[in-house]
Amino acid sequence: CDLIEETILSMGNDVSTLNWSDLSKSAQKCKISVPSELMSRLHVLQDDDHDKKDSNNNDEEKKKENSNEDERQKLNEYLLNLSDKEFQQKFLMFGVNPDFDANVDKQSKIDALLLIASKNYWRLNWQLHPLQKRVKNWIFVHGKYREYVAEIVNAANSDLKTAKDLFTKFDAKLVKHSDFEDNQLFKFMIENLSAPQLSMPAMKELQEDHNDIV
């Protein structure tokens, strides 16, 4: 399919996409993200003023829930009205080929799209993604950092001095690591990736997640 080939090239993907029929059998499910996150990941325009208004009224939980439901309905209507080619493109953004059976209705396909576009889906299923080799080392390195933190916590339960020494060493490693990713890796991505490959909100979210986790 020309569309698949075009999308793969734009992603810099040198391997085939993953068929939804295979992914749905082995992947873990996750909670569907809130509409604002889904719109950002799916490159759907949203009302910035509306989002800011909600964020400034944290005490109005009921109003926020109603707002999320309204936004979810708008997103659903938007996806329902996409052409088959445009809808397929949304799946291909995540490296997934929507090879649904002919009898699958559009709403079921939308539910599948919202699932793979959700914030935690690929955190749980990154090993299944066709581009998983690109993050394998990144996952490994950050896993080691989490092990360092666990070691510090365990040491603090019995030997505070040892814990402080471990923390000093860990902090030195973290400073170098953060400097590389913030001032080189993320900087390069922000300056060189075009919108169809990675939206700026998604890029900022990735950097914020990195800062929070590490």
Side-chain angles (χ1 to χ4, degrees), residues 82-137:
L82 289 179
S83 67
D84 290 343
K85 183 177 181 179
E86 291 171 329
F87 190 69
Q88 184 183 34
Q89 183 76 53
K90 296 298 182 184
F91 273 89
L92 294 175
M93 284 170 55
F94 298 92
V96 177
N97 176 36
D99 63 333
F100 294 96
D101 291 336
N103 61 345
V104 175
D105 61 75
K106 185 70 174 283
Q107 188 57 56
S108 296
K109 296 177 182 180
I110 289 175
D111 292 342
L113 176 61
L114 297 182
L115 178 63
I116 67 170
S118 290
K119 186 173 183 178
N120 289 321
Y121 186 79
W122 293 110
R123 290 179 178 176
L124 296 173
N125 300 296
W126 68 271
Q127 290 176 304
L128 301 176
H129 195 278
L131 293 178
Q132 60 88 16
K133 64 182 180 181
R134 294 188 176 183
V135 298
K136 186 175 182 179
N137 288 339

Side-chain angles (χ1 to χ4, degrees), residues 4-154:
I4 294 178
E5 292 178 0
E6 177 184 333
T7 302
I8 289 175
L9 289 174
S10 69
M11 293 172 62
N13 188 350
D14 58 358
V15 295
S16 62
T17 54
L18 176 64
N19 287 333
W20 167 254
S21 58
D22 295 324
L23 180 63
S24 60
K25 295 175 183 176
S26 54
Q28 298 182 55
K29 291 187 177 181
C30 71
K31 181 179 179 181
I32 302 298
S33 291
V34 297
S36 59
E37 290 177 350
L38 290 168
M39 289 180 178
S40 174
R41 291 170 180 275
L42 291 167
H43 297 177
V44 177
L45 294 178
Q46 48 190 315
D47 188 343
D48 292 336
D49 291 335
H50 175 77
D51 291 339
K52 290 177 182 177
K53 183 177 179 182
D54 282 342
S55 64
N56 291 328
N57 290 277
N58 295 326
D59 295 333
E60 301 179 16
E61 291 299 327
K62 184 69 175 179
K63 186 175 181 180
K64 188 174 181 180
E65 289 177 8
N66 291 337
S67 175
N68 279 338
E69 184 57 34
D70 290 342
E71 291 299 315
R72 196 174 298 279
Q73 290 180 6
K74 290 179 182 178
L75 175 58
N76 200 74
E77 290 175 6
Y78 167 83
L79 295 173
L80 277 171
N81 291 323
L82 289 179
S83 67
D84 290 343
K85 183 177 181 179
E86 291 171 329
F87 190 69
Q88 184 183 34
Q89 183 76 53
K90 296 298 182 184
F91 273 89
L92 294 175
M93 284 170 55
F94 298 92
V96 177
N97 176 36
D99 63 333
F100 294 96
D101 291 336
N103 61 345
V104 175
D105 61 75
K106 185 70 174 283
Q107 188 57 56
S108 296
K109 296 177 182 180
I110 289 175
D111 292 342
L113 176 61
L114 297 182
L115 178 63
I116 67 170
S118 290
K119 186 173 183 178
N120 289 321
Y121 186 79
W122 293 110
R123 290 179 178 176
L124 296 173
N125 300 296
W126 68 271
Q127 290 176 304
L128 301 176
H129 195 278
L131 293 178
Q132 60 88 16
K133 64 182 180 181
R134 294 188 176 183
V135 298
K136 186 175 182 179
N137 288 339
W138 191 91
I139 295 291
F140 173 80
V141 170
H142 287 77
K144 285 296 182 182
Y145 284 135
R146 292 186 178 88
E147 290 178 9
Y148 293 150
V149 172
E151 185 180 1
I152 294 170
V153 172
N154 289 335

